[in-house]
Amino acid sequence: MEREETELDSPPSWSPVGRQRLSACANLSDYAGKKRKQDTNSEAEAAARATEGKDEDDTITSLEAHKDAEEPSNKRVKPVGKGAGISGFMGPVKTPALKRLGQSIQRSISFRTEAQPLPMAPIRTRQKASSFPKRRNSQLWSDTVDSLSQEMSAKEIKRQEVIYELTQGEKQLIEDLNLVKKVYYEPMLKLDIMTESELGQIFGTLDSLIPLHEDFLTRLENLRGAEKTVEEVGPTLLEWFPCLEAYITYCCNQVGAKALLDQKKQDRRVDQFLRLCQESSFSRKLDLWNFLDLPRSRLVKYPLLLREIEKSTPPEHPDHDTLPEALELIQRIVSEVNSKTGEAECQFYRRGLCYTEEGQRLPEIQRSRFLYCHGELKNNKGQKLHVFLFELALVLTRPITQDRDSPVQFQVYRQPLPAAHLLLEDLPDGEGGGGGSFRGAFISGNDKAKNCFRVSSTGRAKAHSHSLQANDSFNKQQWISCLRQAMVQSRDREFQASQSRPTTQMSPDPALYHIAELNLNSDAEMVDA
């Protein structure tokens, strides 16, 4: 008997709340982007309330009451300086040639993406952002240079711009990590919003990453000469990059950390505190998970920066030989982090599977080492399923929860399908796949079924086929791409295993190992799910 699917409680709508409470825990003027004059008495009163151990709800309510009084006006008043009356008659100020060239190069690099979170799974849905995150004021290397003792080529200027971008990125990451520690971790621990154990699981080894990047920033800044140029950066990168192996522990913890954070957000006190932080100016409209994911996004950015530095390094430069070694080193580290993270993610979701029948426990699931992708799809009955494409098996599930304090588990739906025996059929928009496989649920009025595909299995009598619908065409193509990759690699693996067996055994049909093709016909004996 299958367990009934329970709907997760939807989080309440976001509402603006005051941010004065956080000033008792940390000085946020460094992160707000602007200095505000605050009433000393109000600040002391808020600090006293945070430390006296009064009821949390009263604390937050009192802080919300001060928001209107403390929040700066949205209107911008342009100061009028001396000589403003003749400013209209003055011509535009010419930008120095060096600065114009540096600006052009910086625009071509376009590396400022730290604030964009990276998903743990390849399958993503396009979501509307409530507001765009505020970006820091960017500065070019050419902005820091008044004059040069000798002429520099455009290639060398670009090299200096990228190295400066590398340095500034480290500085901004350190600021964000310190912000997370002082504004999120310490206040939640002090106000008993979460236990120390829960915070330790969510934040992981984040605290140990701060001195690591501070050391790298110090090394980079020490490389700058009298003219604010960096001559040789390769040896420094080769020496420091091995420290990034610490990211293996941090990134492997992120899967469980994200699940626990989403679970704790159902607690009103936790949710209210996080909303308070996100509505404050220091957060740049980013939530806590965006900040926790910044180190991982920074890690994958290092190879991009190194390639740009290498392109701008002439053959006669001392870095010409060391930069390729540094690039190979960082790529190997990123690959290892991705591999270990994938294994941790696979184990996490594999432990969360609940089987209704013993026959659903395919050995392919237990042998899988990583996840290709996972996400929400609808079946032909309109039911929302959470589908996991493991390395060796496709598993359809329905999320279930016992209570708010229990982690989300996934009840296995129907029979899992081995990846090596999958058949994939792309269903064109408007076609239900024939045989009434898409009944009513995908067709509303005169609307046609869109973004659908079918998966089934070969070699088994009366095996199930599943007609599935993605959220949009982008999401569908991601699923199809991952499915094809899983099918090909699984069949190649089986073929190689068959070649290593004794010759007395009959080899499987070689046709099974051809690359998966779309628009395959379904087996007539298969029963549609």
Side-chain angles (χ1 to χ4, degrees), residues 440-454:
F442 287 169
I443 304 177
S444 175
N446 295 326
D447 294 340
K448 297 180 179 180
K450 295 182 178 181
N451 310 313
C452 304
F453 60 93
R454 180 184 289 122

Side-chain angles (χ1 to χ4, degrees), residues 72 76 124 126 147 171 174 184 264 312 429 440 468 485 488 525:
R76 284 183 159 182
R124 304 184 299 274
R126 293 174 175 175
S147 61
K171 184 178 300 184
I174 293 169
Y184 287 93
K264 296 302 295 184
S312 305
D429 291 346
L468 303 171
Q485 185 179 2
V488 172
E525 295 182 353

Side-chain angles (χ1 to χ4, degrees), residues 214-235:
E214 287 177 339
D215 174 57
F216 188 37
L217 177 62
T218 301
R219 297 187 186 204
L220 291 176
E221 290 180 337
N222 290 339
L223 294 177
R224 301 191 74 182
E227 296 181 347
K228 300 183 179 180
T229 58
V230 176
E231 293 298 327
E232 195 174 358
V233 72

